[in-house]
Amino acid sequence: MKKVLLSLLSAGVLASSCANQAAENPLLVEWNTRYGIPPFEQVQPEHYLPAFKAAMAAEIAEIDAIVNNTEEPTFENTIEAYANTGELLSNVSAVFSSANGVKSSPELQAIAKELSPLQSAHYSSISLNEKLFQRIKAVYEKRNEMGLNPQQLRAVEEIYKGFERGGANLPAEKKEELKQISAEISALQLQFSQNALLETAAYTLVVENEADLAGLTADQIAEAAARAKKAGQEGKWFFGLDNPSVMPFLANAENRELRKQILTAYLNRCNNNNENDNKEVIKKLVELRLKRAQIMGAETAAAYILEDRMAKTPEAVYELLDQIWKPALKAAKAEAKDMQKIIAKEGSNITLEAWDWRYYAQKAMKEKFNLSEEEMAPYFQIDNVREGVFHVANKLFGLTFKKLEGVPLPHEEAEAFEVYDNDGTVTGIVFFDMFARPGQKRAGAWCGGFRGQSYKNGERVLPLVTICGNFTRPVGDKPALLTTDEVATYFHEFGHGLASLLKDVKYQGMGGYPRDFVELPSQLNEHWAFEPEVLKVYAKHYQTGEVIPQELVEKMEKAGKYGQGFATVEYLAASYLDMDFHVLKEIPADLDVEKFEAKVLGDRGILSQIPSRYRSTYFSHTFSGGYTAGYYSYIWAEVLDADAYDAFCETGDIFNQEVANKYRKEILEVAGEKDAMDLYINFRGKQPGIDPLLKNRGLK
C-alpha cells in the first residue's frame, strides 16, 4: 500500500529528508496489519501534516510521470495511470478524516485548518494542469478509435468530464481565479463544520430539581445523571444538543418551559452572534459558489452542480418537491389537529408550538395505536439490531459476518467484522462505531471508508468500510436500546456499506453514483428493518429473549405511516432552503440569512410548529459541502427505493433471489460504470414513478 512512496523515495523523486519521515511516520510505511488496516493506535497528531505533505508530493510525482511520458497518450499510460494516482494521499486522508470525525480535538481541528489551503492548492494544481489535461483530451478525442471496452470508454469520458467541469478549458486568468475561489470555499466549509461541532458541545441544559424530570424514562434519567457525573456535577442531570439526548427529552419531558429552552438552543446553534456564528460564513459561501458557477458558464450554483446529477436541472428538483409538499402539508395539519385535541382533553389552555410537537406526537401515537417508543425499545437492543442487519444481507446476498479480533480500530469503541461472500471468500471489512460522543464526534450517522474497492495486478483489493452513528449509549448494566429511528438509521447506513462492500469495478475514475442516486442502496435497505418476518428474527427482548409479540408487530405496522406529515414537511423545508440559496442569480449585499430562511419557508406555508430539519446556520449537509444543492437527493432516491422495493413485493417474497441478484449485478457491483438511470432501468425494466413513494409515506 505504501510502496508507492517508498519506491519514489528510492528513485530519488522526493527529497532524502522525506525518507527519514517515512521511516518514522506510521502513515508513510507499509501497513503490515491484517487486511492492510491502518495502524490507528500508532498514529499521533504530529504525524498528519508531514504525511499529507509527503503524500501530496508523491501524487505530484505520479502526475509528472504521466505528463512527461514521451509516448503517445493511450488509455493505459494516461487514463488508467491517472486514475491510479494518489493512493497514498487517499489513505492518509481517510485516516485523518476518520479521526477528526470520531475523536475530534482542538489539535486535530487546528491541523484541519492548516491543511485546508494546502489540499485546495494541491487538487487545483492537478485539475488545472494544462499538460495533463491535454493528454487526457487526446485520448478522449480518439476514444472511439481505440477499441476500448464499455468500462474503459466510460472511464475516459468521466475523467475528461471531471477535468472539464473543474475548469481545465478555462483561460489562464480564469483558472487562477477559480483556484482562489476553491481555496476560500474549502476554508469556509471547514469553518462552518467546526463552528457547528463547537456550538453543539457548548450547550448543556442542567436540571437540578428531580421534579423537572417528570415524563422521562428511567433510562433517559440515568443517562443524564451519568453525563452530569462525568462532568463532575453528581446529583444533577445534564441534557445536550446531540440527538440521543435532546430528542428523547423533547418527546417525553412534561416540563414545557424546559422543552422550549432546549429546542430554542438546538434551533439557534451557530446563530448566537458569537465566535461560532455561521451567518457570515453562509453569506460568503453562497457568493463564492455563485461566482464559481458563473466562471464555469452556468447561471446559478444549482444549475452548475446539478448538471451531472440525475435531476440535471433545478426545475426538475422543484417539480418533485412541489408534488410532495402539498400532500405532506395536509398530513401535517391533520397531525397538528390530533395533538391540539389531546391538549384540549387535558384542559391545557395552550396552543401547540414547536417544542410541543414531539411530546404530543408521542401521546397521539399512544392514543391512536396504543404504542410508544418505551414499549418498543426493549426489543431493539443494539447488538440484536446489528444481527438483524446482517440477517437481511445474508438472506439477500448470502453474506456472512465474523467478528475480527486483534486488529487496529479507529476508536476504542469500534468493532470490526470480516464480510464473507456467498462463495466463502472475504469481500471486505466493516467497522462499526455507533455511540454518541458530544464534542468529539460529528453529528448524525455516516458510512465512510479507509480503502475503496479496486483492482491491482488483476486481483480485487478489499474495501475497508466504516459505519458511524450517534446512538443512545448503554446505561448502567442495561445494554443500549435503540429507538425506531435509530434502528432505521442502522439499516440505512449499512445499505451504504453494502454498496461499498459489493462494488466490483475494474477501472477507477468513473465517479461512482451521482449524489441523487447514492441514497438508493441505503434507503432501500431500510425497507426490511420493520418487516414482520425480519422483526421476528432480531427483535428480541433484551432481558427475556422473547421474540417481539405479534400484537406489537401489528401495532407497529398500523402506526408506521403516522407522523409522516411532520417528517416529510421538515425534510422538504430543508430541501427547499438548500435549493433556494443556490438558485440565486445574484447575492444581495445585505443578505440576511434569517430573513431569507423565514421567507423561503413562510411563502410556502410551512406550519409554525415545524422548523426545517436543519436551520441554515447548522445545515452541514449543504454548507459543509457534500450535499450542496443536493439535500433533495434523499427524496429523489426515495422515488427509486420505493419503486425498487416493489420489485421484491410484486413477487410475493421480500427476499426473492432473482430480484436480489439482479439488484446486486445491475446496481451494487457496477457503481459508476453506466449512467445512473441506465443502471436503474437495467435492474427494474422501467423508469420509476412517484406513486410508490406517496404510498410508502402514507401521503396518497
Side-chain angles (χ1 to χ4, degrees), residues 455-475:
Y455 271 86
K456 258 190 189 175
N457 302 319
E459 292 190 11
R460 184 176 182 269
V461 177
L462 300 183
L464 305 177
V465 179
T466 180
I467 294 174
C468 297
N470 275 275
F471 289 174
T472 308
R473 282 186 168 278
V475 179

Side-chain angles (χ1 to χ4, degrees), residues 10 22 83 107 113 128 130 154 171 174 194 209 230 241 297 308 311 328 437 499 527 567 597 637:
S10 63
E107 193 172 7
K113 282 185 178 179
L128 299 175
E130 179 64 24
R154 175 79 172 174
K174 288 296 181 184
Q194 291 190 348
N209 185 347
K230 188 176 180 181
L241 298 183
D308 67 344
R437 292 186 290 273
H527 284 266
E597 180 180 308

Side-chain angles (χ1 to χ4, degrees), residues 531-591:
E531 282 285 359
E533 69 176 274
V534 177
L535 284 170
K536 291 184 182 300
V537 170
Y538 79 89
K540 299 174 183 177
H541 197 284
Y542 78 98
Q543 289 174 312
T544 66
E546 174 200 14
V547 173
I548 191 167
Q550 180 62 29
E551 179 189 3
L552 186 53
V553 173
E554 289 173 1
K555 286 196 287 185
M556 289 174 65
E557 280 190 287
K558 289 177 184 176
K561 294 178 175 62
Y562 190 74
Q564 280 298 317
F566 172 86
T568 308
V569 166
E570 68 154 7
Y571 165 77
L572 292 176
S575 300
Y576 279 124
L577 194 56
D578 170 37
M579 287 299 298
D580 284 9
F581 269 116
H582 294 102
V583 294
L584 292 173
K585 296 177 182 177
E586 59 181 44
I587 312 301
D590 60 347
L591 176 67

Side-chain angles (χ1 to χ4, degrees), residues 306 310-321 323 632 636:
L306 292 170
M310 287 187 78
K312 304 299 182 191
T313 66
E315 290 76 18
V317 174
Y318 282 117
E319 183 182 357
L320 174 63
L321 300 181
Q323 284 184 72
Y632 76 89
W636 186 280

Side-chain angles (χ1 to χ4, degrees), residues 65 79 118 127 150 222-223 255-256 267 289 310 407 410 475 668:
I79 300 298
L118 299 178
S127 64
E223 165 64 12
N255 189 314
R256 189 175 189 236
L267 295 175
R289 287 171 175 172
M310 287 187 78
V407 295
V475 179
L668 294 180

